[in-house]
Amino acid sequence: MLYPPHDADHVPFRDHPGEEFLFVNEGQAELILPSRTITLASGDSAYFKASTPHKVRSLGTRRAALLLLVTNDHADPDTPQTPQAHLP
């Protein structure tokens, strides 16, 4: 489970190999991409290539509860991959 902060201004964009699936279990959240922002309510989901720089923030008074699933599509599963930070 992921409980994103309300203030994502200080959080860098991240990207990594693979794909991500987000499901909003409780609350509301924003998926922030360089080209657009997507508002997600309870029960909504998003699926995207994780190589797209992204970050998430909670909306509303309480932190959102998101189920986060990440797949890795790099060639060598024994090679560690670290998220790459990006400036907005």
Side-chain angles (χ1 to χ4, degrees):
M1 293 300 285
L2 174 67
Y3 303 93
H6 285 91
D7 180 13
D9 290 341
H10 67 281
V11 176
F13 281 92
R14 304 253 182 223
D15 72 271
H16 49 87
E19 299 171 342
E20 283 196 25
F21 173 79
L22 291 172
F23 175 80
V24 182
N25 192 49
E26 295 178 4
Q28 291 184 319
E30 280 185 337
L31 172 59
I32 304 166
L33 308 171
S35 61
R36 67 188 223 178
T37 300
I38 302 164
T39 301
L40 302 168
S42 183
D44 289 344
S45 62
Y47 180 75
F48 58 95
K49 292 293 265 179
S51 58
T52 301
H54 59 280
K55 59 183 173 178
V56 181
R57 76 178 188 112
S58 291
L59 299 175
T61 57
R62 296 178 57 194
R63 281 190 174 196
L66 309 177
L67 175 65
L68 171 63
L69 301 173
V70 180
T71 64
N72 196 345
D73 64 0
H74 65 279
D76 182 2
D78 295 323
T79 303
Q81 299 289 317
T82 56
Q84 302 296 314
H86 293 273
L87 296 176

XYZ file of all heavy atoms in Angstrom:
686
model
N 0.856 -1.184 0.000
C 0.000 0.000 0.000
C 0.894 1.236 0.000
O 1.942 1.257 0.621
C -0.895 0.002 1.226
C -1.943 -1.116 1.242
S -3.086 -1.083 -0.137
C -4.136 0.263 0.300
N 0.434 2.233 -0.672
C 1.137 3.510 -0.764
C 0.225 4.587 -0.199
O -0.968 4.630 -0.524
C 1.465 3.795 -2.234
C 2.091 5.146 -2.582
C 3.495 5.236 -1.980
C 2.136 5.320 -4.090
N 0.770 5.436 0.661
C 0.040 6.551 1.266
C 0.776 7.828 0.884
O 1.603 8.324 1.644
C -0.038 6.380 2.784
C -0.669 5.066 3.183
C 0.115 3.943 3.421
C -2.047 4.953 3.307
C -0.472 2.729 3.774
C -2.633 3.744 3.665
C -1.834 2.638 3.901
O -2.414 1.438 4.242
N 0.502 8.365 -0.312
C 1.275 9.508 -0.796
C 1.029 10.773 0.030
O -0.052 10.964 0.581
C 0.797 9.686 -2.236
C -0.524 9.012 -2.310
C -0.525 7.951 -1.268
N 2.035 11.643 0.088
C 1.872 12.910 0.811
C 0.917 13.838 0.071
O 0.616 13.639 -1.110
C 3.291 13.484 0.822
C 3.915 12.934 -0.420
C 3.334 11.547 -0.565
N 0.455 14.854 0.773
C -0.400 15.862 0.147
C 0.419 16.840 -0.688
O -0.040 17.344 -1.698
C -1.190 16.638 1.209
C -2.317 15.847 1.780
N -2.176 15.066 2.895
C -3.591 15.695 1.374
C -3.334 14.478 3.156
N -4.207 14.843 2.250
N 1.606 17.135 -0.244
C 2.473 18.094 -0.932
C 3.512 17.321 -1.742
O 4.434 16.737 -1.174
C 3.151 19.009 0.075
C 4.063 20.027 -0.567
O 4.001 20.191 -1.804
O 4.844 20.655 0.154
N 3.362 17.309 -3.045
C 4.304 16.588 -3.905
C 5.327 17.521 -4.544
O 6.147 17.073 -5.339
C 3.543 15.832 -4.986
N 5.286 18.807 -4.184
C 6.225 19.754 -4.785
C 7.682 19.375 -4.504
O 8.544 19.543 -5.360
C 5.968 21.175 -4.287
C 4.664 21.738 -4.820
O 4.146 21.223 -5.828
O 4.144 22.692 -4.206
N 7.954 18.871 -3.313
C 9.326 18.525 -2.938
C 9.709 17.105 -3.358
O 10.854 16.717 -3.254
C 9.515 18.683 -1.424
C 8.716 17.686 -0.637
N 7.360 17.842 -0.411
C 9.066 16.527 -0.051
C 6.919 16.814 0.287
N 7.924 15.997 0.509
N 8.750 16.330 -3.848
C 8.991 14.954 -4.274
C 9.452 14.966 -5.730
O 8.768 15.525 -6.589
C 7.705 14.103 -4.137
C 7.923 12.693 -4.664
C 7.230 14.086 -2.691
N 10.606 14.361 -6.029
C 11.057 14.362 -7.423
C 10.230 13.397 -8.279
O 9.656 12.432 -7.773
C 12.509 13.883 -7.327
C 12.541 13.061 -6.084
C 11.546 13.694 -5.136
N 10.178 13.675 -9.567
C 9.605 12.706 -10.495
C 10.498 11.466 -10.485
O 11.711 11.571 -10.330
C 9.540 13.280 -11.918
C 8.397 14.221 -12.135
C 8.556 15.585 -11.942
C 7.158 13.747 -12.533
C 7.500 16.451 -12.148
C 6.094 14.608 -12.738
C 6.261 15.960 -12.544
N 9.893 10.307 -10.648
C 10.634 9.048 -10.698
C 10.321 8.329 -11.997
O 9.229 8.448 -12.540
C 10.226 8.144 -9.528
C 10.384 8.779 -8.182
C 11.557 8.184 -7.488
N 11.671 8.763 -6.161
C 12.810 9.147 -5.643
N 13.906 9.021 -6.324
N 12.863 9.653 -4.441
N 11.277 7.568 -12.483
C 11.029 6.652 -13.586
C 11.921 5.439 -13.411
O 12.950 5.510 -12.741
C 11.246 7.329 -14.944
C 12.699 7.581 -15.236
O 13.212 8.652 -14.853
O 13.337 6.697 -15.834
N 11.495 4.333 -13.959
C 12.234 3.082 -13.840
C 11.706 2.113 -14.886
O 10.633 2.340 -15.468
C 12.093 2.505 -12.420
C 10.681 2.450 -11.939
N 9.833 1.388 -12.185
C 9.940 3.355 -11.240
C 8.659 1.627 -11.647
N 8.684 2.816 -11.077
N 12.425 1.033 -15.135
C 11.931 0.047 -16.100
C 10.630 -0.580 -15.607
O 10.368 -0.638 -14.408
C 13.042 -1.008 -16.142
C 14.242 -0.333 -15.584
C 13.740 0.687 -14.610
N 9.824 -1.047 -16.529
C 8.618 -1.786 -16.178
C 7.344 -0.992 -16.353
O 7.290 -0.007 -17.084
N 6.313 -1.458 -15.659
C 4.991 -0.855 -15.713
C 4.454 -0.716 -14.302
O 4.902 -1.427 -13.388
C 4.064 -1.729 -16.563
C 4.556 -1.868 -17.990
C 3.791 -2.896 -18.799
O 3.099 -3.747 -18.207
O 3.890 -2.848 -20.023
N 3.499 0.200 -14.111
C 2.880 0.389 -12.796
C 1.366 0.342 -12.928
O 0.799 0.799 -13.919
C 3.277 1.731 -12.172
C 4.653 1.724 -11.599
C 4.916 2.880 -10.648
O 3.974 3.443 -10.053
O 6.102 3.222 -10.521
N 0.749 -0.193 -11.898
C -0.697 -0.205 -11.770
C -1.021 0.398 -10.414
O -0.488 -0.040 -9.386
C -1.237 -1.636 -11.845
C -2.711 -1.740 -11.564
C -3.644 -1.422 -12.541
C -3.164 -2.144 -10.311
C -5.004 -1.514 -12.274
C -4.518 -2.242 -10.037
C -5.441 -1.928 -11.020
N -1.847 1.428 -10.391
C -2.305 2.069 -9.160
C -3.803 1.847 -9.023
O -4.554 2.048 -9.988
C -2.073 3.584 -9.208
C -0.660 4.114 -9.160
C -0.671 5.616 -9.422
C -0.028 3.817 -7.822
N -4.244 1.456 -7.843
C -5.670 1.344 -7.547
C -5.937 2.149 -6.288
O -5.274 1.951 -5.259
C -6.068 -0.118 -7.315
C -7.505 -0.269 -6.886
C -8.521 -0.223 -7.823
C -7.832 -0.424 -5.549
C -9.849 -0.342 -7.426
C -9.148 -0.544 -5.140
C -10.164 -0.509 -6.086
N -6.874 3.072 -6.348
C -7.199 3.912 -5.195
C -8.181 3.145 -4.316
O -9.342 2.973 -4.669
C -7.783 5.270 -5.623
C -8.067 6.133 -4.400
C -6.840 5.981 -6.579
N -7.683 2.672 -3.186
C -8.504 1.923 -2.243
C -9.350 2.857 -1.385
O -10.518 2.575 -1.122
C -7.624 1.039 -1.369
C -8.408 0.028 -0.580
O -9.242 -0.672 -1.141
N -8.152 -0.040 0.714
N -8.767 3.973 -0.960
C -9.476 4.963 -0.139
C -9.004 6.359 -0.517
O -7.820 6.568 -0.785
C -9.195 4.761 1.349
C -9.712 3.479 1.920
C -9.357 3.320 3.399
O -8.777 4.252 3.991
O -9.655 2.259 3.945
N -9.913 7.309 -0.492
C -9.563 8.711 -0.704
C -9.459 9.091 -2.168
O -10.004 8.432 -3.045
N -8.726 10.182 -2.395
C -8.488 10.706 -3.731
C -7.006 10.992 -3.893
O -6.327 11.351 -2.926
C -9.258 11.996 -3.965
C -10.749 11.842 -4.045
C -11.401 13.172 -4.386
O -11.010 14.211 -3.868
N -12.387 13.130 -5.259
N -6.528 10.860 -5.128
C -5.119 11.101 -5.402
C -4.962 11.709 -6.784
O -5.889 11.670 -7.602
C -4.334 9.793 -5.309
N -3.793 12.269 -7.018
C -3.418 12.752 -8.344
C -2.183 12.004 -8.798
O -1.204 11.900 -8.053
C -3.091 14.246 -8.321
C -4.284 15.141 -8.344
C -3.903 16.602 -8.447
O -2.777 16.989 -8.086
O -4.773 17.362 -8.886
N -2.235 11.490 -10.008
C -1.070 10.947 -10.683
C -0.511 12.089 -11.522
O -1.207 12.620 -12.397
C -1.465 9.760 -11.562
C -0.380 9.198 -12.470
C 0.835 8.724 -11.676
C -0.948 8.077 -13.328
N 0.707 12.493 -11.214
C 1.306 13.656 -11.853
C 2.370 13.183 -12.841
O 3.337 12.515 -12.461
C 1.922 14.598 -10.806
C 0.856 15.005 -9.778
C 2.547 15.813 -11.476
C 1.418 15.655 -8.536
N 2.162 13.511 -14.108
C 3.097 13.215 -15.191
C 3.605 14.552 -15.725
O 2.976 15.588 -15.514
C 2.390 12.436 -16.295
C 1.632 11.177 -15.855
C 0.789 10.630 -16.993
C 2.590 10.129 -15.337
N 4.723 14.576 -16.430
C 5.211 15.859 -16.952
C 4.212 16.566 -17.863
O 4.141 17.788 -17.861
C 6.477 15.473 -17.720
C 6.940 14.218 -17.083
C 5.681 13.486 -16.684
N 3.429 15.809 -18.613
C 2.531 16.431 -19.581
C 1.107 16.639 -19.083
O 0.344 17.379 -19.706
C 2.478 15.581 -20.855
O 1.971 14.292 -20.556
N 0.723 15.978 -17.981
C -0.649 16.128 -17.481
C -0.791 15.565 -16.079
O 0.056 14.821 -15.601
C -1.658 15.483 -18.413
C -1.546 13.976 -18.481
C -2.433 13.421 -19.554
N -3.118 12.244 -19.058
C -3.989 11.558 -19.740
N -4.311 11.931 -20.943
N -4.564 10.498 -19.233
N -1.893 15.923 -15.437
C -2.225 15.438 -14.104
C -3.569 14.736 -14.176
O -4.516 15.260 -14.775
C -2.283 16.614 -13.106
O -1.001 17.244 -13.076
C -2.636 16.140 -11.716
N -3.651 13.555 -13.564
C -4.865 12.746 -13.613
C -5.408 12.591 -12.195
O -4.701 12.116 -11.303
C -4.571 11.360 -14.214
C -3.982 11.534 -15.624
C -5.829 10.498 -14.235
C -3.311 10.297 -16.164
N -6.648 13.023 -11.982
C -7.291 12.885 -10.672
C -7.950 11.517 -10.586
O -8.678 11.110 -11.499
C -8.343 13.994 -10.469
O -7.683 15.261 -10.570
C -9.004 13.871 -9.109
N -7.689 10.817 -9.483
C -8.219 9.478 -9.259
C -9.018 9.457 -7.969
O -8.539 9.913 -6.932
C -7.082 8.458 -9.170
C -6.150 8.375 -10.391
C -4.915 7.562 -10.054
C -6.890 7.761 -11.560
N -10.236 8.922 -8.022
C -11.090 8.791 -6.840
C -11.075 7.342 -6.367
O -10.566 6.448 -7.060
C -12.513 9.233 -7.184
N -11.666 7.109 -5.216
C -11.758 5.759 -4.674
C -12.384 4.828 -5.709
O -13.416 5.143 -6.306
C -12.597 5.796 -3.395
O -12.653 4.516 -2.818
N -11.726 3.703 -5.977
C -12.194 2.747 -6.971
C -11.580 2.930 -8.345
O -11.686 2.046 -9.193
N -10.923 4.067 -8.591
C -10.269 4.317 -9.874
C -8.904 3.638 -9.917
O -8.304 3.336 -8.883
C -10.067 5.815 -10.121
C -11.356 6.550 -10.412
O -12.374 5.886 -10.725
O -11.345 7.792 -10.314
N -8.404 3.442 -11.137
C -7.077 2.853 -11.294
C -6.366 3.516 -12.468
O -6.986 4.186 -13.298
C -7.177 1.342 -11.520
O -7.891 1.057 -12.702
N -5.050 3.310 -12.511
C -4.231 3.809 -13.613
C -3.163 2.767 -13.904
O -2.646 2.112 -12.988
C -3.579 5.140 -13.246
N -2.849 2.610 -15.168
C -1.831 1.666 -15.625
C -0.953 2.401 -16.627
O -1.478 3.008 -17.572
C -2.525 0.463 -16.274
C -1.595 -0.589 -16.800
C -0.948 -1.462 -15.932
C -1.379 -0.730 -18.167
C -0.107 -2.445 -16.416
C -0.535 -1.707 -18.657
C 0.104 -2.573 -17.778
O 0.943 -3.540 -18.253
N 0.364 2.382 -16.415
C 1.240 3.151 -17.292
C 2.644 2.575 -17.304
O 3.031 1.810 -16.408
C 1.264 4.632 -16.870
C 1.721 4.856 -15.450
C 3.040 5.157 -15.171
C 0.822 4.753 -14.399
C 3.461 5.361 -13.864
C 1.235 4.962 -13.089
C 2.556 5.270 -12.828
N 3.399 2.939 -18.338
C 4.810 2.572 -18.421
C 5.557 3.355 -17.350
O 5.471 4.578 -17.294
C 5.390 2.907 -19.797
C 4.854 2.068 -20.923
C 5.280 0.632 -20.815
C 6.506 0.365 -21.633
N 6.966 -1.009 -21.542
N 6.295 2.640 -16.519
C 7.006 3.276 -15.416
C 8.206 4.087 -15.894
O 8.778 4.855 -15.123
C 7.441 2.222 -14.402
N 8.566 3.958 -17.162
C 9.652 4.773 -17.717
C 9.206 6.217 -17.945
O 10.030 7.093 -18.195
C 10.167 4.161 -19.020
O 9.119 4.048 -19.961
N 7.902 6.485 -17.843
C 7.378 7.847 -17.890
C 7.598 8.482 -16.518
O 7.147 7.936 -15.511
C 5.867 7.840 -18.209
O 5.659 7.197 -19.449
C 5.321 9.257 -18.248
N 8.298 9.606 -16.428
C 8.474 10.245 -15.115
C 7.107 10.499 -14.473
O 6.170 10.955 -15.130
C 9.198 11.551 -15.446
C 9.928 11.243 -16.717
C 8.999 10.345 -17.485
N 7.014 10.183 -13.174
C 5.726 10.253 -12.482
C 5.915 10.460 -10.983
O 6.978 10.185 -10.438
C 4.930 8.963 -12.723
C 5.647 7.728 -12.260
N 6.639 7.129 -13.011
C 5.540 6.992 -11.128
C 7.097 6.072 -12.370
N 6.461 5.967 -11.211
N 4.852 10.957 -10.362
C 4.756 11.038 -8.912
C 3.284 11.115 -8.550
O 2.431 11.348 -9.418
C 5.543 12.213 -8.337
C 5.154 13.595 -8.826
C 6.088 14.631 -8.222
C 5.869 16.016 -8.788
N 6.753 17.006 -8.144
N 2.966 10.876 -7.285
C 1.572 10.809 -6.835
C 1.424 11.647 -5.581
O 2.331 11.701 -4.738
C 1.170 9.345 -6.535
C -0.274 9.260 -6.091
C 1.395 8.458 -7.738
N 0.263 12.302 -5.442
C -0.031 13.019 -4.210
C -1.471 12.744 -3.796
O -2.330 12.431 -4.637
C 0.214 14.517 -4.352
C -0.841 15.265 -5.113
C -0.524 16.761 -5.141
N -1.616 17.508 -5.713
C -2.379 18.354 -5.028
N -2.174 18.550 -3.751
N -3.344 19.009 -5.631
N -1.713 12.835 -2.497
C -3.064 12.681 -1.955
C -3.829 13.987 -2.103
O -3.257 15.072 -2.057
C -3.009 12.318 -0.467
O -2.510 11.018 -0.278
N -5.134 13.873 -2.265
C -6.047 15.009 -2.256
C -6.993 14.833 -1.067
O -7.162 13.729 -0.569
C -6.859 15.063 -3.549
C -6.078 15.236 -4.846
C -7.024 15.149 -6.039
C -5.330 16.555 -4.857
N -7.654 15.897 -0.653
C -8.596 15.798 0.464
C -7.908 15.947 1.806
O -6.722 16.282 1.886
N -8.645 15.676 2.869
C -8.117 15.905 4.218
C -7.242 14.766 4.723
O -6.350 14.990 5.524
C -9.267 16.125 5.214
O -10.140 14.991 5.174
C -10.047 17.385 4.864
N -7.494 13.544 4.266
C -6.708 12.386 4.710
C -5.861 11.864 3.558
O -6.214 12.028 2.400
C -7.638 11.278 5.199
C -8.436 11.695 6.428
C -9.375 10.620 6.885
N -8.636 9.393 7.156
C -9.198 8.210 7.315
N -10.498 8.084 7.235
N -8.465 7.144 7.553
N -4.766 11.206 3.904
C -3.941 10.595 2.866
C -4.714 9.479 2.170
O -5.423 8.711 2.810
C -2.664 10.005 3.463
C -1.611 11.042 3.733
C -0.312 10.383 4.078
N 0.736 11.380 4.188
C 2.020 11.104 4.172
N 2.426 9.857 4.085
N 2.903 12.062 4.266
N -4.552 9.399 0.879
C -5.171 8.327 0.097
C -4.429 7.014 0.366
O -3.243 7.018 0.703
C -5.114 8.660 -1.386
N -5.118 5.908 0.208
C -4.530 4.575 0.312
C -4.569 3.950 -1.076
O -5.642 3.698 -1.621
C -5.299 3.723 1.309
N -3.394 3.731 -1.662
C -3.287 3.204 -3.019
C -2.617 1.840 -3.008
O -1.593 1.655 -2.350
C -2.443 4.129 -3.901
C -2.799 5.604 -3.936
C -1.806 6.350 -4.802
C -4.194 5.798 -4.446
N -3.182 0.915 -3.746
C -2.506 -0.352 -3.999
C -1.592 -0.106 -5.178
O -2.037 0.370 -6.231
C -3.523 -1.448 -4.329
C -2.924 -2.792 -4.740
C -2.158 -3.410 -3.566
C -4.002 -3.724 -5.227
N -0.314 -0.391 -5.017
C 0.676 -0.148 -6.059
C 1.293 -1.475 -6.472
O 1.812 -2.214 -5.635
C 1.774 0.790 -5.545
C 3.002 0.982 -6.426
C 2.616 1.633 -7.740
C 4.059 1.780 -5.697
N 1.202 -1.789 -7.760
C 1.840 -2.976 -8.322
C 2.835 -2.520 -9.364
O 2.517 -1.697 -10.218
C 0.807 -3.894 -8.975
C -0.305 -4.396 -8.066
C -1.346 -5.149 -8.883
C 0.244 -5.289 -6.977
N 4.057 -3.051 -9.286
C 5.122 -2.669 -10.205
C 5.672 -3.925 -10.862
O 5.969 -4.906 -10.176
C 6.257 -1.936 -9.459
C 7.370 -1.541 -10.421
C 5.732 -0.718 -8.728
N 5.786 -3.899 -12.193
C 6.444 -4.981 -12.914
C 7.769 -4.465 -13.426
O 7.957 -3.267 -13.628
C 5.616 -5.483 -14.111
O 5.499 -4.438 -15.064
C 4.246 -5.946 -13.662
N 8.672 -5.372 -13.626
C 9.999 -5.003 -14.092
C 10.233 -5.710 -15.413
O 10.127 -6.926 -15.488
C 11.042 -5.423 -13.053
C 12.360 -4.748 -13.279
O 12.615 -4.189 -14.328
N 13.221 -4.824 -12.288
N 10.569 -4.968 -16.448
C 10.771 -5.584 -17.757
C 12.209 -5.484 -18.258
O 12.468 -5.627 -19.434
C 9.813 -5.000 -18.788
C 10.038 -3.523 -19.050
O 10.940 -2.928 -18.431
O 9.296 -2.957 -19.863
N 13.174 -5.272 -17.342
C 14.557 -5.228 -17.819
C 15.064 -6.649 -18.065
O 14.536 -7.624 -17.542
C 15.460 -4.429 -16.873
C 15.633 -5.030 -15.523
N 14.692 -4.878 -14.527
C 16.616 -5.798 -14.999
C 15.107 -5.523 -13.449
N 16.254 -6.076 -13.717
N 16.082 -6.786 -18.878
C 16.535 -8.081 -19.364
C 17.102 -8.989 -18.274
O 16.868 -10.179 -18.277
C 17.574 -7.870 -20.461
N 17.870 -8.470 -17.330
C 18.522 -9.294 -16.316
C 17.858 -9.073 -14.962
O 18.053 -8.037 -14.338
C 20.002 -8.945 -16.243
C 20.779 -9.790 -15.250
O 20.173 -10.688 -14.624
O 21.990 -9.568 -15.109
N 17.087 -10.068 -14.460
C 16.387 -9.879 -13.190
C 17.316 -9.759 -11.988
O 16.906 -9.335 -10.919
C 15.485 -11.109 -13.084
C 16.112 -12.121 -13.970
C 16.821 -11.360 -15.061
N 18.593 -10.117 -12.141
C 19.541 -10.012 -11.026
C 20.249 -8.665 -10.984
O 21.014 -8.390 -10.072
C 20.585 -11.138 -11.114
C 19.946 -12.498 -10.941
O 19.012 -12.611 -10.118
O 20.373 -13.449 -11.613
N 19.998 -7.820 -11.968
C 20.604 -6.497 -11.996
C 19.715 -5.525 -11.235
O 18.559 -5.319 -11.606
C 20.768 -5.992 -13.448
O 21.548 -6.925 -14.169
C 21.415 -4.615 -13.474
N 20.219 -4.964 -10.140
C 19.370 -4.036 -9.385
C 19.090 -2.771 -10.178
O 19.949 -2.260 -10.881
C 20.193 -3.726 -8.130
C 21.602 -4.056 -8.492
C 21.544 -5.109 -9.570
N 17.866 -2.299 -10.063
C 17.445 -1.072 -10.731
C 17.042 -0.077 -9.671
O 16.304 -0.416 -8.752
C 16.260 -1.351 -11.646
C 16.565 -2.341 -12.750
C 17.493 -1.754 -13.795
O 17.340 -0.608 -14.205
N 18.456 -2.529 -14.235
N 17.500 1.137 -9.786
C 17.100 2.170 -8.835
C 16.295 3.222 -9.569
O 16.594 3.539 -10.721
C 18.329 2.826 -8.165
O 19.180 3.326 -9.181
C 19.090 1.835 -7.307
N 15.251 3.752 -8.920
C 14.470 4.824 -9.553
C 15.363 6.020 -9.858
O 16.295 6.316 -9.114
C 13.425 5.176 -8.512
C 13.354 3.994 -7.625
C 14.739 3.390 -7.633
N 15.093 6.682 -10.941
C 15.835 7.867 -11.338
C 15.031 9.111 -10.992
O 13.882 9.222 -11.388
C 16.114 7.831 -12.844
C 16.894 6.615 -13.286
C 18.273 6.575 -12.689
O 18.979 7.586 -12.684
N 18.645 5.442 -12.163
N 15.628 10.002 -10.246
C 14.951 11.241 -9.879
C 15.033 12.229 -11.024
O 16.025 12.286 -11.737
C 15.581 11.827 -8.626
N 13.981 13.017 -11.202
C 13.936 14.050 -12.234
C 13.423 15.337 -11.611
O 12.540 15.306 -10.773
C 12.985 13.661 -13.362
C 13.457 12.499 -14.159
N 14.292 12.638 -15.227
C 13.217 11.180 -14.030
C 14.553 11.452 -15.735
N 13.903 10.552 -15.022
N 13.958 16.414 -12.051
C 13.438 17.695 -11.618
C 12.185 17.999 -12.416
O 12.078 17.633 -13.577
C 14.477 18.788 -11.837
C 15.759 18.636 -11.021
C 16.741 19.729 -11.423
C 15.467 18.702 -9.546
N 11.195 18.665 -11.790
C 9.950 18.965 -12.520
C 10.177 19.883 -13.691
O 11.127 20.539 -13.845
C 9.068 19.615 -11.478
C 9.886 19.872 -10.284
C 11.190 19.152 -10.461
